[in-house]
Amino acid sequence: PRFLWVHLYDPHASYQPPEPFATRFADDLYLGEVAATDAFLAPLLRPHLEGSEPPCLVVATADHGEAQGDHGEATHCLFAYESTLHVPLLVWGPGVVSGRDDRSARHVDIVPTVLAATGIESPAGGPVLPGRSLLEPWQESPDSYFEALSAALNRGWAPLRGLLSGARKFI
């Protein structure tokens, strides 16, 4: 068994994708960085996706979205709108049903999902993990905490903390 954590800082402002992505996406350099990041990951993932290596569990997500001008925010960190809160979460591998699931998921659900997919039990006597496995059926979307503290820490603005509960957002 192996575990590999890959964290890529791209795409982040200032957007400067390498060629050929800078030219291909000259009118949207952010998308150029997204495409470049996909290309950087391809050699790592391709053997598993094509079946020439043993199957593995792949989880891909982001820590935030980019506002790209939404609500007057050029990048991220200042506000708590969906453009920065709503991020992709992809889970692929053995035991994962193919398709799209529109239920709410949270980053705290990743560890329980990985444990369930790999058949590993939480250590006895260890801390109770927040979240739940996304591979198990569930009906109700749990509440989800969020925060945007950069403006408070760097500009002296009021901190933004909130809760998503069903279809409601409390800030």
Side-chain angles (χ1 to χ4, degrees):
R2 297 173 287 175
F3 177 81
L4 175 64
W5 169 277
V6 178
H7 176 261
L8 299 173
Y9 192 71
D10 299 286
H12 268 87
S14 64
Y15 309 123
Q16 299 175 350
E19 289 299 344
F21 304 100
T23 300
R24 265 183 52 206
F25 295 92
D27 53 343
D28 191 340
L29 295 178
Y30 170 73
L31 289 181
E33 286 204 356
V34 171
T37 300
D38 287 349
F40 298 156
L41 290 172
L44 176 67
L45 297 175
R46 186 174 292 118
H48 298 283
L49 298 173
E50 293 175 348
S52 60
E53 292 285 330
C56 67
L57 180 69
V58 176
V59 178
T61 191
D63 57 342
H64 57 77
E66 291 289 291
Q68 293 195 288
D70 190 23
H71 301 281
E73 185 175 18
T75 60
H76 64 277
C77 291
L78 298 180
F79 304 123
Y81 292 108
E82 290 305 295
S83 54
T84 56
L85 292 177
H86 192 140
V87 297
L89 174 60
L90 296 99
V91 181
W92 178 89
V96 178
V97 176
S98 180
R100 180 184 176 125
D101 188 335
D102 290 325
R103 296 176 297 177
S104 294
R106 306 158 303 161
H107 282 147
V108 297
D109 298 328
I110 294 173
V111 170
T113 300
V114 169
L115 293 177
T118 57
I120 298 173
E121 297 283 330
S122 293
V128 175
L129 293 173
R132 81 277 186 250
S133 170
L134 299 171
L135 302 180
E136 298 169 6
W138 49 276
Q139 300 299 319
E140 190 175 319
S141 292
D143 292 344
S144 185
Y145 170 80
F146 63 86
E147 62 190 16
L149 302 179
S150 178
L153 298 171
N154 297 314
R155 298 175 185 224
W157 296 3
L160 292 176
R161 292 183 177 91
L163 186 74
L164 294 170
S165 183
R168 297 176 183 227
K169 181 194 280 185
F170 302 94
I171 298 176

